[in-house]
């Protein structure tokens, strides 16, 4: 079987699996977030934290819950890393340096999971399981809670209440993420991923000699890092490591885990607003972008010219031979179109245009389908912008899902769109202009610029993957990328929740003959065009200096 055909068949199998899970999972999540019932274990949690899960919250109170919980999480994870040297199960590793502890705490709480350290050489069992793995669950649940709050803003009228953050957080963790993660961990263990608390031991090598490796609860952390679109590997090689991702089947299963909740949330959205057709319109938009980016990535990596590439069946540099070009390309697009820092190949080794596709995928706002929760609310903000543009073209007040899109809503949507590009471009410009550590950038020219641009794009968009040719373990990069991750995660949430509150206070606008039908293919096409044009106008100059220049020169 040719490598191209193998890649296409894997893509088709993945699409079929996502289609099978779409309806049951989407409907189940809608029931979870619409239920008034609290399970007994959930009541114990509410009692422990002193929360009233039945109390309605307006958007300022909801936002305070998000920020307070996240701030406590950052402080706890920072303290855990700083105290690692005296904790049991540390495997002899020392405490993490302050700048790196801040970077890692910000990274995992912001659902980014950017890593400027070697996982197997820095973090012991307690930090990995009690700190990083826990944040993989709750940071994902926070994103889902904010998305559901925005959906309630569309679904409700004449009330400012968006639900209860603590109830949404606990339900998302206990009823959705945890059950799927348990089943997924069993599947990964069956595939060969390790799950233990072994210490450091010698492992023989085929070429002779031995190397030290430590064990760990890898399968359980691997499954939630993908399912929660977190990323971050137990080992430095991430999902290219055989302990994390042993076989081609486990590779495809991990891609499925990355995509299944973000895609299914579009049905949850349709169910909660009372129109499945609206959910299908959002699904069509996200699926079109994802399939298009995947096809482009496979083409750039398979079609690269030269005798070495022809013999290898494509651009195989930096890719695992047990996965090949096709599976690596699918994984790469899945991670960069969602806020997932997991990688099964070396992104810096992709072709120039392939690297540009990865960058553009993150710069879209990671909305196709995006991270768990963050992808849905990002896409809904873009849907509002598309409706506004359509209203300008026909001279009609824009409406979406029965809500008028006025000055306040457009200002909040515009602020949401501008935050991340401002962080990415300003931090990238500062890193290139200021005398940052000269040993950080190992590749001069266009590729070196792409590495810096990729690092801040990944951080501000809560992705966490890396080109890996940039040495980011310095005080400058640890501090600035840490700030980019926190600001890129929580500033957009401020605007999303304010927008949700504004929508929830409105009364429904009756549909008329002149109302734009937002559940039709025409609108889906307009939404795709809006996303690509807004992103293109924002990032094209930076992309032209990096991946486009490199790709055209090769």
């Amino acid at each position: 079987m040719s490598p191209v055909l193998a890649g296409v068949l894997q893509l088709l199998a993945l699409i079929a699996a996502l289609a099978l899970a779409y309806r049951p999972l989407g409907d189940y999540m809608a029931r979870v977030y619409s239920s008034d019932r609290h399970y007994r274990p959930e009541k114990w949690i509410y009692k422990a934290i002193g929360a009233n899960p039945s109390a309605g919250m307006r958007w300022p109170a909801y936002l305070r819950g998000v920020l307070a919980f996240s701030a406590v999480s950052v402080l706890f994870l920072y303290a855990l890393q700083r105290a690692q040297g005296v904790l049991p199960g540390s495997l002899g590793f020392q405490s993490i340096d302050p700048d790196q502890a801040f970077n890692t705490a910000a990274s995992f709480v912001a659902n980014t999971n950017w890593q400027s350290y070697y996982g197997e050489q820095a973090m012991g069992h307690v930090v990995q399981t009690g700190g990083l793995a826990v944040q993989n669950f709750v940071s994902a649940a926070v994103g889902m809670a904010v998305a559901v709050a925005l959906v309630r803003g569309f679904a409700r009228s004449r009330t400012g209440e968006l639900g209860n953050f603590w109830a949404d957080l606990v339900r998302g963790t206990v009823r959705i993420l945890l059950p799927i993660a348990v089943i997924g961990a069993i599947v990964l263990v069956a595939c060969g991923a390790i799950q233990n608390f072994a210490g450091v031991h010698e492992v023989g090598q085929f070429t002779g000699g031995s190397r030290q490796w430590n064990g760990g609860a890898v399968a359980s952390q691997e499954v939630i890092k993908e399912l929660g679109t977190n990323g971050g590997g137990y080992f430095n090689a991430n999902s290219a490591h055989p302990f994390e991702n042993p076989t081609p089947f486990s590779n495809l299963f991990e891609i499925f885990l990355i995509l299944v909740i973000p895609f299914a949330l579009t049905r949850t959205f349709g169910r909660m607003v009372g129109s499945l057709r609206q959910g299908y319109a959002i699904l069509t938009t996200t699926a079109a972008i994802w399939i298009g980016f995947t096809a482009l990535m496979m083409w750039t990596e398979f079609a690269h010219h030269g005798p070495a590439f022809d013999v290898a069946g494509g651009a195989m540099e930096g890719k695992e031979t047990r996965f090949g070009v096709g599976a690596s390309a699918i994984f790469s697009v899945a991670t960069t179109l969602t806020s997932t820092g997991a990688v099964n190949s070396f992104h810096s080794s992709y072709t120039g245009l392939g690297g540009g596709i990865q960058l553009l995928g993150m710069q879209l706002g990671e909305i196709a389908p995006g991270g768990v929760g963050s992808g849905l609310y990002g896409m809904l903000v873009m849907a509002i912008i598309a409706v506004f543009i359509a209203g300008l073209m026909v001279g009609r007040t824009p409406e979406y899902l029965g809500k008028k899109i006025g000055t306040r809503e457009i200002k909040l949507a515009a602020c949401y769109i501008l935050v991340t590009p401002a962080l990415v471009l300003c931090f990238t410009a500062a890193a290139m202009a200021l005398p940052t550590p000269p040993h950080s950038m190992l590749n001069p020219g266009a590729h070196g610029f792409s590495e810096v641009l990729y690092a801040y794009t990944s951080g501000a968009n809560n992705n966490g993957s890396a080109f890996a040719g940039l040495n980011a373990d310095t005080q400058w990069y640890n501090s600035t990328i840490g700030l980019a991750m926190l600001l890129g995660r929580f500033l957009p949430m401020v605007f999303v929740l304010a927008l949700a509150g504004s929508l929830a206070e409105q009364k429904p606008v009756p549909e008329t003959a002149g109302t734009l039908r937002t559940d039709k293919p025409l609108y889906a096409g307009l939404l795709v065009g809006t996303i690509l044009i807004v992103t293109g106008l924002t990032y094209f100059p930076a992309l032209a200096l990096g991946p486009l220049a490199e790709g055209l020169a090769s």
Side-chain angles (χ1 to χ4, degrees), residues 19-65:
L20 289 173
Y22 176 76
R23 181 171 180 174
L25 181 57
D27 289 346
Y28 172 72
M29 290 191 291
R31 291 194 298 270
V32 166
Y33 289 114
S34 301
S35 173
D36 293 327
R37 182 184 177 188
H38 306 296
Y39 295 155
R40 183 172 297 178
E42 296 171 348
K43 293 179 180 179
W44 295 340
I45 298 173
Y46 300 138
K47 186 176 181 179
I49 63 177
N52 178 7
S54 300
M57 290 181 172
R58 298 177 68 86
W59 79 264
Y62 204 101
L63 176 62
R64 285 195 297 270

Side-chain angles (χ1 to χ4, degrees), residues 275-324:
S275 174
L276 292 177
R277 293 173 67 89
Q278 296 290 345
Y280 289 136
I282 299 298
L283 172 67
T284 301
T285 303
T286 58
I289 296 174
W290 172 62
I291 293 174
F293 270 58
T294 303
L296 283 173
M297 180 65 82
M298 293 177 70
W299 173 75
T300 61
E301 299 306 298
F302 275 121
H304 206 67
H305 301 295
F309 298 107
D310 293 338
V311 172
M316 274 297 296
E317 179 189 339
K319 300 181 178 69
E320 278 292 313
T321 55
R322 66 182 188 276
F323 303 143

Side-chain angles (χ1 to χ4, degrees), residues 40-97:
R40 183 172 297 178
E42 296 171 348
K43 293 179 180 179
W44 295 340
I45 298 173
Y46 300 138
K47 186 176 181 179
I49 63 177
N52 178 7
S54 300
M57 290 181 172
R58 298 177 68 86
W59 79 264
Y62 204 101
L63 176 62
R64 285 195 297 270
V66 170
L67 297 180
F69 177 77
S70 301
V72 171
S73 297
V74 169
L75 293 174
F76 171 77
L77 190 51
Y78 177 85
L80 195 65
Q81 294 175 83
R82 295 291 292 141
Q84 176 174 250
V86 298
L87 293 174
S90 64
L91 302 178
F93 299 140
Q94 300 301 310
S95 299
I96 307 300
D97 292 336

Side-chain angles (χ1 to χ4, degrees), residues 29-178:
M29 290 191 291
R31 291 194 298 270
V32 166
Y33 289 114
S34 301
S35 173
D36 293 327
R37 182 184 177 188
H38 306 296
Y39 295 155
R40 183 172 297 178
E42 296 171 348
K43 293 179 180 179
W44 295 340
I45 298 173
Y46 300 138
K47 186 176 181 179
I49 63 177
N52 178 7
S54 300
M57 290 181 172
R58 298 177 68 86
W59 79 264
Y62 204 101
L63 176 62
R64 285 195 297 270
V66 170
L67 297 180
F69 177 77
S70 301
V72 171
S73 297
V74 169
L75 293 174
F76 171 77
L77 190 51
Y78 177 85
L80 195 65
Q81 294 175 83
R82 295 291 292 141
Q84 176 174 250
V86 298
L87 293 174
S90 64
L91 302 178
F93 299 140
Q94 300 301 310
S95 299
I96 307 300
D97 292 336
D99 58 298
Q100 192 172 77
F102 164 72
N103 180 278
T104 304
S107 173
F108 278 76
V109 173
N111 196 243
T112 309
N113 294 40
W114 169 274
Q115 292 175 286
S116 61
Y117 59 88
Y118 296 96
E120 67 270 33
Q121 300 177 23
M123 302 295 184
H125 293 322
V126 173
V127 175
Q128 289 275 22
T129 57
L132 306 185
V134 169
Q135 286 305 315
N136 282 347
F137 279 96
V138 295
S139 65
V142 168
M144 295 167 69
V146 173
V148 169
L150 179 58
V151 174
R152 291 192 185 114
F154 285 110
R156 297 180 177 181
S157 60
R158 299 179 181 179
T159 176
E161 294 186 354
L162 302 176
N164 185 283
F165 167 70
W166 304 107
D168 293 337
L169 172 69
V170 172
R171 288 178 179 179
T173 303
V174 173
R175 301 191 195 183
I176 299 173
L177 296 173
L178 191 58

Side-chain angles (χ1 to χ4, degrees), residues 392-411:
L392 290 178
M393 289 191 291
V394 300
R396 179 182 172 89
T397 302
E399 303 166 7
Y400 186 57
L401 299 178
K403 300 295 179 71
K404 284 188 176 181
I405 308 302
T407 303
R408 175 179 170 81
E409 288 76 24
I410 286 299
K411 286 180 178 178

